[in-house]
RNA sequence: GGUCCCGUAGCUCAGCUGGAUAGAGCAGCUGACUUCUAAUCAGCAGGCCUCAGGUUCGAAUCCUGACGGGAUCACCA
């Protein structure tokens, strides 16, 4: 039985025996003792005062005595005000360390439980390269997948590629008009950047066209007839851009025509579309590869956007949906949302109907009991709506759907804006953090003796470690500020700090020769710096469980940081190789080994690799 | 305006299933490398936990209401 359960049970039976009534297990508050007090675990006795009709101090004394007498692992206690501090036998911790050392890299992970979960993340549009916002999405999705794997699930990682629609048509038109047949190969550009260039080109050309048009008679007329009261010419034209695109623009018409031709399956358009998409996807693959992520399956919006008909029919029959003025609607007022169009009056699909259909299809494909959608928090109500409709349709998978909504990534100067060119490109960022790691490492000179290829691999490990940790340590729910300078910091609460602790563990292990590890069992009296490390190790499995339950990788990040910090302190204070006795040396080496394994398992859950040297 | 999220040190963030004197990192200052890698460790300084009520033996944490910031309220995705 788990130590925590043991102590909790002990408290319950103690209170029952002493005062004649058992408290609810919910009233037993057991936490790690604050470091300024003696003891390992603290029980708050205030909740028992009513039951016992005694003063907290007295209850503490009596209960403490009971615990020491009746629980094999409790060696001592002390009472301060209403707090009962229990000390656990050193032998228990030493045994515990021994037992988890045998689990190697399995420690903390649950056995496979046969349950399936699907995690959808990244899900980019195929008209421009990935940026910092995608990086947060990708890291969250990847880490959530790893955490669920560790929690015993079978995980399928998927993305839905938004590969159709007017946006990609803009890039296509621009390439046709201004591209002169150049390709990623001919220019040496990465495919996604190449296509993105034409997306920007379109915006620019369109902008100029629009500006020119503003001096025309048509524009004058539009302003005269459509302006709102008191609206200045400038404000009007700012707001009118979309209408201009749809009604007057030459380029806009070309893009819209292309979309129609695409929908009509025009062979030439489809060929161009496929070509440009393959360029973009090729570019994305390189970015994913540099981030160390991969997917089990890709869904394409071009295949899924017509799905959902069957569910809509079912919805109409079940009266979950209804028909009115040629559209199909649903009423979501009971969950605080407005009525929503599910099928447009021309019979075509909407975002909602697509997501309904996709959910059903994926359930048929894979049969996951849980599906996590990693999507920005601006889409919270969309997913609330989709999930609610599926629940009303009594779809078997509806209860297991979860929207992992994360906040936007801001820069110190404020929000990223493509119009102002402040969008941080994913590839640039990755290159930058690696470069920064390189600078630091070259300066330190620790790895100068390694071959160039190995050095380059280490630069990447450290640089990406810094970037990933920087992003994942923040609670996903929160909007976060991304400071490029701080993200490449290598000191303090950072990925490299944790990697460094790992390198130290490995370093002492390497230097220790022929140590009989079984001597560790003979180590008798734990130093405080040693005990706190073991207690932290003890929390690891529970941390993973909690991170899975909350869909929150930041819990794992701060766990790893805390462990690294405690180990660093221990490393600083205690001699390992020159320990005072053979058992002490064996024990400390064993501790270092388990810390290394745990840090490496934990950081792997964040998608961060560990270096052997740095 | 309705709904949802956020508000903790100069900055970036932990802590939020109620518990002891609210924690880290960065930035600032001070100490520790002839000893397992100092990307480290130790210390100083820095707080009306946005505000006001309420519940409680006890509130940063729960409830209500303000205030500030953000998101969202399309036949777009």
């Amino acid at each position: 039985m788990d130590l925590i359960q043991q102590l909790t049970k002990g408290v319950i039976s103690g209170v029952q025996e002493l005062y004649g009534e058992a408290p609810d297990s919910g009233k037993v508050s057991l936490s790690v003792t604050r470091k300024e007090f003696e003891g390992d675990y603290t029980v708050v006795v205030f909740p028992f005062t009513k039951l016992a009709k005694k003063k907290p101090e007295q209850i503490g004394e009596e209960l403490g005595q009971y615990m020491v007498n009746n629980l094999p692992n409790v060696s001592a206690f002390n009472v301060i005000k209403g707090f009962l501090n229990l000390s656990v036998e050193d032998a228990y911790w030493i045994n515990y360390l021994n037992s988890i050392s045998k689990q190697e890299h399995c420690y903390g992970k649950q056995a496979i439980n046969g349950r399936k979960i699907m995690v959808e993340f990244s899900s980019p549009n195929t008209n421009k390269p990935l940026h910092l916002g995608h990086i947060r999405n990708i890291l969250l999705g990847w880490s959530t997948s790893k955490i669920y794997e560790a929690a015993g699930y079978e995980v399928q990682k998927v993305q839905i590629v938004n590969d159709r629609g007017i946006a990609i048509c803009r890039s296509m038109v621009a390439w046709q008009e201004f591209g002169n047949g150049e390709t990623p190969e001919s220019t040496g550009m990465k495919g996604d950047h190449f296509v993105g260039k034409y997306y920007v080109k379109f915006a620019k050309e369109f902008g100029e066209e629009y500006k020119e048009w503003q001096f025309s008679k048509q524009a004058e007329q539009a302003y005269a007839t459509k302006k709102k009261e008191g609206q200045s010419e400038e404000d009007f034209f700012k707001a009118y851009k979309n209408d201009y695109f749809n009604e007057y623009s030459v380029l806009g018409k070309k893009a819209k025509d292309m979309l129609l031709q695409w929908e009509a399956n025009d062979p030439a358009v489809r060929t161009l579309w496929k070509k440009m998409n393959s360029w973009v996807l090729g570019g994305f693959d390189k970015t994913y590869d540099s981030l160390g992520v991969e997917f089990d399956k890709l869904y394409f919006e071009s295949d899924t956007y017509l799905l959902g008909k069957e569910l809509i029919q079912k919805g109409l029959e079940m009266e979950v949906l209804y028909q009115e003025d040629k559209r199909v609607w649903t009423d979501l007022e009971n969950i605080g949302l407005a009525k929503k169009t599910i099928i447009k009056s021309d019979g075509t699909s909407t975002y909602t109907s697509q997501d309904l259909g996709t959910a059903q299809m994926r359930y048929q494909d894979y049969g996951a009991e849980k599906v996590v959608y990693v999507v920005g928090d601006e889409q919270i109500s969309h997913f609330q709506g989709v999930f609610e409709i599926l629940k009303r349709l009594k779809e078997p998978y509806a209860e297991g759907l979860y929207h992992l909504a994360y906040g936007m990534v801001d820069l110190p100067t404020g929000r990223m804006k493509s119009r102002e060119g402040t969008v941080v490109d994913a590839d640039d960022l990755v290159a930058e953090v690696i470069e920064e790691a390189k600078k630091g490492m070259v300066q330190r000179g620790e790895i100068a003796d390694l071959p160039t290829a190995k050095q380059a691999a280490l630069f990447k490990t450290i640089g990406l470690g810094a970037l990933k940790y920087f992003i994942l340590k923040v609670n996903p729910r929160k909007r976060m500020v991304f400071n490029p300078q701080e993200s490449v910091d290598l000191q303090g609460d950072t990925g490299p700090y944790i990697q460094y602790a790992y390198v130290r563990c490995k370093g002492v292990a390497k230097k220790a020769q022929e140590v009989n590890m079984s001597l560790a069992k003979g180590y008798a009296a734990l130093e405080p710096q040693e005990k706190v490390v073991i207690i932290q190790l003890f929390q690891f499995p529970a941390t993973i469980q909690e991170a899975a339950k909350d869909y929150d990788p930041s819990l794992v990040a701060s766990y790893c940081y805390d462990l690294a910090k405690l180990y660093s302190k221990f490393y600083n204070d205690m001699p390992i190789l020159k320990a005072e006795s053979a058992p002490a040396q064996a024990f400390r080496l064993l501790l270092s080994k388990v810390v290394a394994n745990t840090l490496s398992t934990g950081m792997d859950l964040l998608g961060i690799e560990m270096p052997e040297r740095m």
Side-chain angles (χ1 to χ4, degrees):
Chain A
M1 186 168 41
D2 184 83
L3 178 70
I4 302 294
Q5 288 171 8
Q6 226 179 84
L7 294 177
T8 308
K9 251 185 133 172
V11 171
I12 292 174
S13 54
V15 171
Q16 176 160 37
E17 197 150 309
L18 291 165
Y19 311 115
E21 198 180 323
D24 307 347
S25 59
K27 287 229 166 128
V28 180
S29 141
L30 201 67
S31 51
V32 175
T33 303
R34 300 175 64 123
K35 61 173 173 241
E36 58 268 38
F37 300 103
E38 179 80 31
D40 302 326
Y41 283 95
T42 297
V43 180
V44 184
V45 301
F46 287 110
F48 313 135
T49 48
K50 262 189 193 152
L51 217 149
K53 299 191 184 73
K54 287 184 180 173
K55 288 197 174 137
E57 290 83 348
Q58 196 185 347
I59 300 171
E61 290 293 336
E62 293 172 356
L63 189 57
Q65 198 57 56
Y66 175 91
M67 299 286 281
V68 170
N69 292 344
N70 292 279
L71 293 186
N73 296 322
V74 179
S75 59
F77 75 95
N78 67 81
V79 180
I80 297 167
K81 294 196 272 181
F83 301 91
L84 167 60
N85 301 318
L86 301 167
S87 300
V88 175
E89 295 270 7
D90 282 358
Y92 175 85
W93 295 123
I94 294 169
N95 273 332
Y96 184 76
L97 183 70
N98 257 301
S99 74
I100 63 176
S101 75
K102 294 187 185 108
Q103 299 178 33
E104 301 280 344
H105 286 280
C106 297
Y107 177 57
K109 298 184 181 175
Q110 299 300 115
I112 290 171
N113 61 20
R115 300 167 74 179
K116 289 186 189 173
I117 185 171
M118 178 180 273
V119 182
E120 178 202 294
F121 60 102
S122 189
S123 304
N125 297 320
T126 54
N127 55 2
K128 49 179 185 249
L130 304 175
H131 58 70
L132 178 53
H134 293 109
I135 289 193
R136 190 177 196 192
N137 180 309
I138 291 165
L139 297 179
L140 283 170
W142 180 259
S143 180
T144 303
S145 305
K146 295 289 258 180
I147 288 168
Y148 265 89
E149 252 165 43
Y153 284 73
E154 183 188 311
V155 182
Q156 178 146 78
K157 301 179 286 290
V158 305
Q159 57 172 324
I160 177 147
V161 181
N162 299 305
D163 62 344
R164 71 160 206 121
I166 195 74
I168 181 67
C169 290
R170 289 178 198 223
S171 301
M172 285 157 67
V173 166
W175 185 77
Q176 234 174 15
E177 298 278 316
F178 314 109
N180 298 317
E182 67 171 16
T183 64
E185 293 78 32
S186 75
T187 54
M189 279 179 86
K190 195 161 162 284
D192 50 343
H193 291 267
F194 180 85
V195 173
K197 185 175 98 175
Y198 284 99
Y199 187 71
V200 171
K201 176 76 175 165
F202 184 95
K204 200 175 151 226
E205 294 291 334
F206 171 72
E208 275 166 27
E209 186 197 288
Y210 185 42
K211 218 179 240 169
E212 230 166 85
W213 177 80
Q214 287 172 25
F215 298 101
S216 73
K217 281 242 164 70
Q218 276 178 339
E220 232 169 82
Q221 220 167 28
Y223 176 64
T225 55
K226 290 178 182 163
K227 70 167 178 180
K228 287 182 196 138
E229 246 187 57
Q231 197 175 28
S232 74
E233 210 164 318
E234 198 189 333
D235 285 349
F236 172 79
F237 284 117
K238 227 179 200 172
Y240 195 67
K241 202 166 181 177
N242 243 344
D243 295 283
Y244 170 74
F245 181 90
N246 286 319
E247 285 174 37
Y248 303 105
S249 166
V250 180
L251 280 169
K253 181 151 190 339
K254 282 185 180 162
K256 285 197 318 183
D257 284 348
M258 194 168 269
L259 184 60
L260 288 175
Q261 287 171 306
W262 183 90
E263 282 177 356
N265 246 318
D266 179 275
V269 169
R270 287 280 175 150
T271 305
L272 175 62
W273 171 74
K274 274 187 188 150
K275 182 160 71 178
M276 293 190 71
N277 269 339
S278 74
W279 289 339
V280 174
L281 292 173
F284 287 167
D285 280 346
K286 285 185 193 159
T287 307
Y288 292 143
D289 192 51
S290 76
L291 287 170
V293 306
E294 58 196 17
F295 297 86
D296 300 307
K297 180 157 184 164
L298 268 59
Y299 287 92
F300 293 91
E301 197 203 342
S302 52
D303 297 327
T304 62
Y305 80 110
L306 294 175
L307 294 174
K309 295 271 147 72
E310 194 187 316
L311 275 176
I312 308 281
Q313 196 50 44
K314 182 177 164 192
L316 289 169
E317 280 160 23
M318 289 173 72
E319 294 180 5
V320 169
L321 309 175
Y322 61 91
Q323 211 133 19
E324 197 179 294
D325 54 86
K326 291 187 180 166
R327 303 191 224 171
V328 176
W329 293 83
T330 189
D331 187 334
L332 297 169
E333 271 165 22
N334 72 318
I335 57 164
L337 298 175
K339 285 182 195 170
K340 228 170 162 54
T341 303
I342 309 297
I343 294 293
K344 296 183 220 165
S345 51
D346 63 4
T348 58
S349 62
T350 61
Y351 187 29
T352 308
S353 69
Q354 283 177 49
D355 267 358
L356 293 173
T358 308
Q360 189 190 36
M361 177 177 74
R362 293 200 294 206
Y363 183 68
Q364 286 159 0
D365 281 359
Y366 184 63
E369 68 177 87
K370 282 173 185 276
V371 179
V372 180
Y373 295 77
V374 183
V375 181
D377 62 7
E378 70 277 5
Q379 294 194 32
I380 287 175
S381 42
H382 165 72
F383 283 106
Q384 277 177 345
V386 171
F387 297 169
E388 173 67 16
I389 293 167
L390 289 168
K391 277 178 201 165
R392 292 186 193 168
L393 290 170
K394 306 228 176 341
E395 289 295 303
Y397 49 87
E399 296 292 335
L401 304 173
Y402 182 79
H403 175 199
L404 171 41
Y406 61 91
M408 197 165 281
V409 184
D410 288 324
L411 299 173
T413 48
R415 196 170 168 165
M416 285 195 287
K417 285 182 183 149
S418 51
R419 219 180 301 155
E420 290 165 25
T422 56
V423 175
V424 177
D425 177 77
D427 297 317
D428 291 350
L429 182 59
V430 168
E432 194 189 323
V433 293
I434 293 172
E435 187 53 36
E436 209 58 37
K438 181 177 172 180
K439 264 190 224 161
M441 292 177 86
V442 168
Q443 202 182 6
R444 283 164 54 85
E446 285 285 347
I447 59 162
D449 60 304
L450 290 175
T452 321
K454 281 206 170 167
Q455 287 193 29
L458 285 172
F459 301 151
K460 193 177 162 189
T461 301
I462 308 299
L464 281 177
L467 175 62
K468 290 179 180 183
Y469 183 84
F470 187 86
I471 289 177
L472 287 174
K473 74 173 174 176
V474 181
N475 185 319
R477 202 172 45 243
K478 280 189 163 175
R479 206 181 166 104
M480 68 175 285
V481 175
F482 183 86
N483 186 326
Q485 262 125 49
E486 282 175 24
S487 74
V488 297
D489 267 354
L490 311 171
Q491 276 145 26
D493 184 4
T494 65
Y497 173 91
I498 300 167
Q499 290 172 323
Y500 185 65
Y502 174 85
V503 167
R504 283 175 145 182
C505 294
K506 287 294 183 185
V508 283
K510 221 174 285 168
K511 292 212 169 160
Q513 284 148 4
E514 310 260 336
V515 172
N516 182 356
M517 294 300 260
S518 64
L519 285 176
K521 278 181 213 148
Y523 188 59
L526 286 177
E527 300 291 341
Q529 292 96 322
E530 295 162 345
K531 187 147 84 171
V532 288
V533 174
I534 303 182
I535 293 179
Q536 179 71 10
L537 288 169
F538 180 81
Q539 320 278 352
F540 189 49
T543 303
I544 295 180
Q545 293 294 2
E546 206 180 337
K549 191 182 107 238
D550 293 351
Y551 304 91
D552 185 358
S554 73
L555 297 175
V556 176
S558 51
Y559 173 87
C560 290
Y561 177 64
D562 289 341
L563 179 57
K565 207 165 145 63
L566 292 170
Y567 182 79
S568 294
K569 166 85 173 143
F570 155 79
Y571 182 93
N572 234 271
D573 291 358
M574 299 284 145
I576 299 171
L577 297 174
K578 294 181 182 163
E580 63 278 11
S581 68
Q585 189 197 48
F587 169 80
R588 286 174 197 158
L589 282 168
L590 186 69
L591 186 66
S592 300
K593 185 187 142 193
V594 177
V595 168
N597 280 343
T598 306
L599 285 178
S600 135
T601 306
M603 292 292 266
D604 181 56
L605 298 180
L606 306 176
I608 298 174
E609 288 176 14
M610 288 304 215
E612 293 302 305
R613 289 175 54 185
M614 64 191 283

